[in-house]
């Protein structure tokens, strides 16, 4: 017999267990049935009434209000963020918080294999149990922080249609539309029950620039300071230019290419304040009592979730670049400034400089994340006698995440296009790259040069999880 301890059903208030039939419950974090009312670990349970009262579209919106949880990625996580909704118990991280569905492991998403709560049907949640102590002894190191166990409804009867549409009353935007339809009923004189649920969610994008409190990036004087002033990034659309070493000059250029002082770039307005989302979900559950000792059960969940995140145009960061001093895009004043610095002038007609530029000609950085998740569970469970019970199940899960990352640049192509400036040295070299002008203010990069240096990345992560479990639980008597 292979035996694995997997969290089962759960309890009520912290450190207390709800009474069930015959005063026996199964505690999340254990297969042990207990007849007392005190759980071995602190347990907090959030029931479906709270989900309904709060009009929960994504489960993390309610869970993040619990004191045990530190908000992780959610609908507002744009930078950092990757379009997922995750949970972090006690702030120990998402990879140390184990997420279960009906006491069974759910497949993670992406390279980190962290469970995306977007893929759990909120309309089918009966309650959520949160265990913050002792879970790693049962589940391993991925439960060091604790366990979040989603208990889903599997005995629903009737038809339930739920629709909601929320938006900002002040601005008239930030709309979130959610529709779910659940159908279920008993069959074969009540021996079996089947439930089918469909869900659709559409969340509208909101930009930071649309709100007074978020449209400006702010700086402070450091920890403890209560003074804030408008700030931003030193990667600016007009190019920040410095010598290869030292601080002889630190300038940008105006529209005529002349060196002038620079001001920080406000990157906030084009960032998302609320990430757009579109989700389709279907889930099905069934139970059937074969006889007094055998109940068959099955669960299937499929979710397609598409989320986009957006940042301000790509910053080059501080790049060390080589330029030709006969570059025709250099004004006489800028050329003299660079050529007169011994830390920059190489003495061979070239110079090394450090640049920071915001590549707004290429457009914003976008990460479109398309996730398809499936879980199928089939099992048999029941009572062997008054003291012993069993649960045997097979759990197969698969998650596929396709990401398209746009708005990036190639540093090597950037250097090549910068040297191929159309001047005498460049023509003599025979280079063929389109000329890149970064010395005459903003929006000076041609479409050809922008296409040459820009890059679009793609990443596909597929995670498959297979679990076969046979467990027998009961009480050992007369062992003395």
């Amino acid at each position: 017999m292979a035996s694995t301890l997997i969290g089962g059903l759960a309890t009520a208030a912290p450190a207390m267990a709800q009474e069930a039939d015959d005063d026996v419950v199964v505690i999340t974090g254990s297969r042990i049935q207990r007849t007392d009312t005190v759980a071995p670990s602190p347990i907090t349970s959030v029931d479906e009434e709270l989900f309904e009262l709060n009009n929960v579209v994504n489960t993390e919106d309610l869970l993040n209000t619990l004191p045990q949880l530190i908000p992780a990625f959610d609908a507002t996580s744009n930078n950092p963020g990757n379009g997922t909704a995750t949970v972090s118990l006690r702030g120990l991280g998402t990879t140390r918080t184990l997420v279960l569905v009906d006491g069974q492991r759910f497949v993670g998403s992406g390279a980190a294999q962290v469970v995306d709560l977007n893929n759990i049907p909120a309309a089918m949640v009966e309650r959520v149990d949160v265990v913050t102590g002792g879970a790693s002894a049962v589940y391993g190191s991925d439960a060091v922080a604790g366990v979040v166990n989603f208990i889903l409804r599997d005995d629903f009867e009737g038809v339930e249609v739920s629709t909601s549409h929320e938006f900002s009353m002040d601005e008239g935007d930030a709309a979130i539309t959610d529709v779910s339809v659940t159908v279920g009923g008993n069959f074969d004189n009540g021996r079996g029950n089947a439930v089918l649920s469909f869900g659709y969610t559409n969340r509208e994008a909101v930009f930071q620039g649309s709100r007074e409190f978020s449209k400006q990036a702010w700086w402070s004087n450091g920890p403890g300071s209560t003074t804030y002033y408008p700030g931003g990034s030193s990667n600016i659309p007009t190019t920040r230019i410095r010598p290869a070493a030292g601080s002889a000059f630190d300038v940008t250029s105006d529209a005529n290419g002349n060196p002038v002082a620079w001001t920080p770039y406000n990157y906030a307005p084009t960032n998302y304040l609320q990430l757009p989302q579109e989700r389709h979900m279907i889930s099905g559950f069934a139970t059937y009592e074969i006889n007094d000792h055998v109940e068959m059960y099955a669960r299937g969940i499929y979710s397609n979730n598409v989320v986009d995140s957006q940042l301000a145009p790509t910053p080059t960061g501080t790049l060390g670049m080589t330029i030709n001093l006969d570059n025709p895009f250099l004004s006489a004043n800028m050329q003299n400034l660079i050529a007169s610095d011994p830390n920059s002038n190489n003495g061979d007609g070239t110079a090394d400089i450090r640049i920071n530029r915001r590549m707004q000609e290429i457009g914003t950085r976008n990460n479109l994340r398309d996730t398809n998740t499936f879980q199928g569970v089939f099992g048999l469970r029941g009572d062997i006698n008054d003291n012993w019970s069993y649960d045997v199940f097979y759990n197969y899960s698969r998650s596929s995440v396709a990401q398209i990352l746009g708005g990036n640049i190639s540093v090597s192509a950037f250097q090549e296009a910068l040297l191929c400036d159309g001047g005498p040295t460049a023509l003599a070299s025979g280079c063929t790259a389109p000329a890149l002008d970064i010395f005459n203010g903003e929006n000076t990069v041609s479409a050809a040069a922008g296409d040459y240096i820009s890059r679009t990345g793609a990443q596909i992560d597929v995670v498959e999880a297979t679990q076969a479990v046979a467990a027998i639980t009961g009480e050992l008597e007369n062992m003395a």
Side-chain angles (χ1 to χ4, degrees), residues 74-78 166-168 173-177 202-208 210-211 271-277 307-309:
D74 59 14
T76 63
S77 300
N78 187 57
E166 59 184 86
F167 58 92
S168 167
D173 58 2
I176 302 176
T177 302
N202 188 287
R203 187 173 64 208
E204 182 182 87
V206 179
F207 293 96
Q208 289 184 216
S210 67
R211 299 292 190 272
N271 289 0
Y272 282 140
L273 185 61
Q274 175 174 282
L275 278 65
Q277 176 191 31
V307 181
D308 185 30
S309 56

Side-chain angles (χ1 to χ4, degrees), residues 17-322:
Q18 262 184 340
E19 293 186 1
D21 294 340
D22 300 325
D23 295 325
V24 174
V25 297
V26 179
I27 305 299
T28 293
S30 173
R31 281 285 186 183
I32 300 173
Q33 292 182 339
R34 302 175 58 88
T35 56
D36 59 284
T37 58
V38 180
S41 299
I43 298 176
T44 300
S45 186
V46 181
D47 58 24
E48 62 181 315
E49 284 79 10
L50 280 176
F51 280 83
E52 293 173 359
L53 287 173
N54 288 273
N55 188 34
V56 173
V57 175
N58 290 324
T59 54
E60 79 277 2
D61 295 338
L62 181 58
L63 293 180
N64 282 337
T65 64
L66 299 178
Q68 301 94 323
L69 280 83
I70 301 298
F73 290 166
D74 59 14
T76 63
S77 300
N78 187 57
N79 184 26
N82 56 14
T84 63
T86 56
V87 61
S88 173
L89 279 170
R90 298 187 288 184
L92 295 180
T94 56
T95 58
R96 290 293 178 260
T97 301
L98 182 62
V99 176
L100 305 176
V101 175
D102 285 336
Q104 299 165 348
R105 291 176 181 262
F106 197 75
V107 66
S109 297
Q113 300 187 31
V114 174
V115 173
D116 184 357
L117 303 187
N118 285 314
N119 301 319
I120 299 176
M124 294 301 298
V125 174
E126 179 178 306
R127 72 177 188 273
V128 181
D129 294 335
V130 179
V131 183
T132 55
S136 61
V138 176
Y139 299 105
S141 62
D142 50 353
V144 166
V147 174
V148 179
N149 186 17
F150 290 83
I151 309 300
L152 305 184
R153 296 187 290 179
D154 61 357
D155 58 353
F156 181 80
E157 290 185 76
V159 177
E160 180 181 276
V161 179
S162 175
T163 63
S164 68
H165 181 75
E166 59 184 86
F167 58 92
S168 167
M169 292 291 290
D170 294 330
E171 305 293 339
D173 58 2
I176 302 176
T177 302
D178 185 68
V179 180
S180 65
V181 179
T182 304
V183 180
N186 296 327
F187 59 92
D188 196 8
N189 297 319
R191 296 174 64 185
N193 179 270
V195 183
L196 193 62
S197 181
F198 304 88
Y200 173 76
T201 301
N202 188 287
R203 187 173 64 208
E204 182 182 87
V206 179
F207 293 96
Q208 289 184 216
S210 67
R211 299 292 190 272
E212 284 294 325
F213 67 84
S214 60
K215 69 179 184 180
Q216 174 66 53
W218 294 88
W219 283 352
S220 75
N221 293 321
S225 173
T226 58
T227 301
Y228 295 89
Y229 47 93
S233 170
S234 61
N235 290 273
I236 56 179
T238 55
T239 309
R240 181 187 182 189
I241 305 170
R242 290 176 290 168
S247 57
F249 55 88
D250 187 352
V251 298
T252 186
S253 56
D254 61 18
N256 296 317
N258 294 312
V260 294
W262 62 274
T263 56
Y265 169 77
N266 180 22
Y267 51 78
T270 55
N271 289 0
Y272 282 140
L273 185 61
Q274 175 174 282
L275 278 65
Q277 176 191 31
E278 186 173 29
R279 179 177 62 195
H280 298 82
M281 183 174 292
I282 181 172
S283 52
F285 311 86
T287 59
Y288 185 77
E289 184 179 346
I290 298 175
N291 56 46
D292 291 341
H293 299 284
V294 181
E295 181 186 53
M296 178 174 62
Y297 65 95
R299 176 177 74 243
I301 298 175
Y302 171 77
S303 172
N304 173 252
N305 189 53
V306 180
V307 181
D308 185 30
S309 56
Q310 177 174 299
L311 301 176
T314 293
T316 63
T318 301
L319 292 182
M321 290 281 123
T322 300

